[in-house]
Amino acid sequence: MPEIPEVITMDELVEKYQYSVQGRKGLWTVIGEVDDPYTQSQHILDVDLSTAGNVLIYGGAGSGKELMLSSMLYFLYKNYLPEQLHTYILDFGAETFRMFESAPHTGSVMIDGEDEKINGLINMLSKEVKYRKKLFAEFSGDIERYNASDNLPVPYMLVIINNYSNFNDNYERYEEILIALTRECPKYGIYFIYTATNTTSVRFRMSQNFRQMYVMQMNDKADYSTILGSTKGVYPPAIKGRGILKTEETYVFQAAHIVREEEDLLGYIKQFAENLAEKANGKVARQIPVVPKFVSGLDAASSVNSFGQMSLGVSHATYDYLKIDATEKNVLLAISEDSTDALYYAGGLIETTSAIPEIQTIVFNGGRKLAELLDVAYEPVDTDYENKIVELFQTVLLRNNDYKDTDGYPTVDMHPMLVVLNGFEVIRNTLSEDGKDKLNTILDKAEDFWNVWFVVSDSYRNLNLYYMENWI
């Protein structure tokens, strides 16, 4: 029986064996061609990730680990729709997997240094497995049974870490949570594929969560038995993409290539990914949540309709808008080392609250004016702060007395008001003693039933002068 060829492309292999995933349950991918000397036969080598679970590929430099992994991805992307499979790739090897980045199945390709994305992926996976546990509870925790029901199907998720030892060197802080995820996730349709260069790359507590192992050429023959146990003298020949796997016996296989000439691979996959994207009609893998570098108050405004749920920004923990109940304290502080930063933040709060129905926004400009920063309507107070403070005092006094006199059923206009004191120290220093007293009384006695909220904005140095005030 002739040896399996050194180079056979995935498309040729599928054609040769008339292989199809049509009608198969689970998530199947083809790896290559296997030689079975026990039956004097050769056949296609495939794996059902939904049955096998996580996969670990060992191999020294130049052994063909990335070749094998790329071909597995190529087959998956060619045979499953982006709404069926979402893939997340952490490439700590030669960074060649960016060629798959534009494919609609690819949620993200991450490399060393993209800390926020990597952290976002870990958080997303942790939440997803908890969500799927509840979702599949009535289906014995089985994704196949759930997707076969009348419910909206959920996609398989595939997480790839290429060169795990390099990843772990820089992100060891995630090892414990990855041990937990690789143990729990396969039950719920989330699978992991790692590649590793040597036997010490993946610690035992992690490797025991990987039921399927493939071993390419290693530097030391002793490594094969360390990984697979006794191989009865079966080792992979020194051919790129050759490997061994062990079931009851040990078999030699050849990983499929995507193209025959390696120099054609990058262009071929980029075109392949672009073609997939065109056919996907906008259906793409879920993106990893990250905190944007710029958060617009106007964007946050869409989720705000009262002071009871004011958005302060985007949370690094949840990647969602961080909201507070401003009715618990009617005076909000916008403080920073530099008063300009506080100014920007105050501007964001103004935009955030702009969606509150009938809101009246009054902005005292004691420092740099907010006009150039805002895209919402407001009433500026650039001079004559004294008269406006007196007017405000009369407004809140009227609202306070009417609310109490009517036992909480006011007869006067109580539309919502936001008063921004931008550059508080400058504003206060221009007031008379009576004006200062009225301003202090307003801030100190502020009640939520007035329906008036205040934002005091200035540098830490200036506001620290008032740390003894009750409203601070």
Side-chain angles (χ1 to χ4, degrees), residues 121-282:
L121 173 64
I122 299 297
N123 284 337
M124 184 179 80
L125 291 172
S126 300
K127 291 178 181 177
E128 184 67 17
V129 72
K130 290 178 183 176
Y131 168 73
R132 292 191 178 200
K133 279 182 183 179
K134 293 180 181 178
L135 194 65
F136 301 164
E138 296 179 15
F139 300 87
S140 304
D142 188 280
I143 187 173
E144 300 297 335
R145 291 182 60 189
Y146 178 85
N147 282 347
S149 70
D150 294 331
N151 294 291
L152 186 67
V154 297
Y156 295 107
M157 297 176 74
L158 181 61
V159 181
I160 293 170
I161 303 183
N162 182 36
N163 200 335
Y164 181 78
S165 56
N166 279 3
F167 168 80
N168 201 46
D169 283 346
N170 296 324
Y171 297 93
E172 189 175 2
R173 60 187 178 273
Y174 294 123
E175 186 170 39
E176 288 301 318
I177 191 168
L178 280 171
I179 289 172
L181 287 171
T182 52
R183 182 179 61 249
E184 292 293 322
C185 282
K187 304 173 191 174
Y188 306 104
I190 305 170
Y191 312 108
F192 291 78
I193 300 178
Y194 288 2
T195 69
T197 54
N198 56 61
T199 57
T200 60
S201 298
V202 184
R203 295 175 187 170
F204 175 73
R205 289 181 58 227
M206 180 77 78
S207 66
Q208 66 182 349
N209 296 330
F210 289 74
R211 291 163 49 191
Q212 191 67 52
M213 297 187 185
Y214 302 93
V215 187
M216 321 297 277
Q217 301 159 61
M218 302 293 287
N219 295 326
D220 190 334
K221 277 192 173 182
D223 291 342
Y224 299 109
S225 57
T226 300
I227 297 167
L228 297 175
S230 173
T231 64
K232 297 181 181 180
V234 178
Y235 306 109
I239 299 170
K240 185 173 183 179
R242 279 287 206 273
I244 59 174
L245 73 152
K246 185 176 180 180
T247 53
E248 293 83 8
E249 302 292 343
T250 305
Y251 301 90
V252 175
F253 70 89
Q254 172 64 44
H257 290 244
I258 297 174
V259 293
R260 286 196 162 270
E261 301 300 329
E262 197 165 330
E263 58 267 26
D264 297 335
L265 178 63
L266 183 61
Y268 180 84
I269 289 298
K270 282 190 172 180
Q271 187 61 56
F272 169 70
E274 289 172 8
N275 291 343
L276 288 176
E278 287 178 11
K279 295 174 183 176
N281 295 320

Side-chain angles (χ1 to χ4, degrees), residues 329-332 362 364 385-400 417-421 424 427 431 434-448 450-456 469-472:
K329 185 173 175 62
N330 287 56
V331 181
L332 302 177
I362 301 170
F364 286 75
Y385 305 132
E386 180 93 16
N387 282 337
K388 197 62 179 180
I389 291 295
V390 171
E391 181 184 321
L392 273 174
F393 181 81
Q394 292 170 344
T395 297
V396 297
L397 181 63
L398 176 64
R399 292 187 176 196
N400 182 80
M417 296 176 65
L418 178 68
V419 179
V420 179
L421 300 163
F424 180 80
I427 295 167
L431 301 178
D434 179 64
K436 291 176 182 177
D437 183 61
K438 282 182 167 59
L439 175 59
N440 192 66
T441 300
I442 291 171
L443 297 176
D444 194 33
K445 303 294 185 182
E447 296 278 4
D448 67 288
W450 293 356
N451 217 16
V452 181
W453 277 263
F454 302 87
V455 175
V456 178
E469 300 290 347
N470 290 333
W471 52 268
I472 285 287

Side-chain angles (χ1 to χ4, degrees), residues 361-412:
T361 301
I362 301 170
V363 179
F364 286 75
N365 286 305
R368 179 182 168 190
K369 293 183 180 180
L370 277 165
E372 60 196 81
L373 305 177
L374 298 176
D375 291 322
V376 297
Y378 69 96
E379 178 186 339
V381 182
D382 299 328
T383 58
D384 199 8
Y385 305 132
E386 180 93 16
N387 282 337
K388 197 62 179 180
I389 291 295
V390 171
E391 181 184 321
L392 273 174
F393 181 81
Q394 292 170 344
T395 297
V396 297
L397 181 63
L398 176 64
R399 292 187 176 196
N400 182 80
N401 293 341
D402 186 66
Y403 186 90
K404 291 181 177 179
D405 290 343
T406 60
D407 294 324
Y409 296 94
T411 58
V412 300

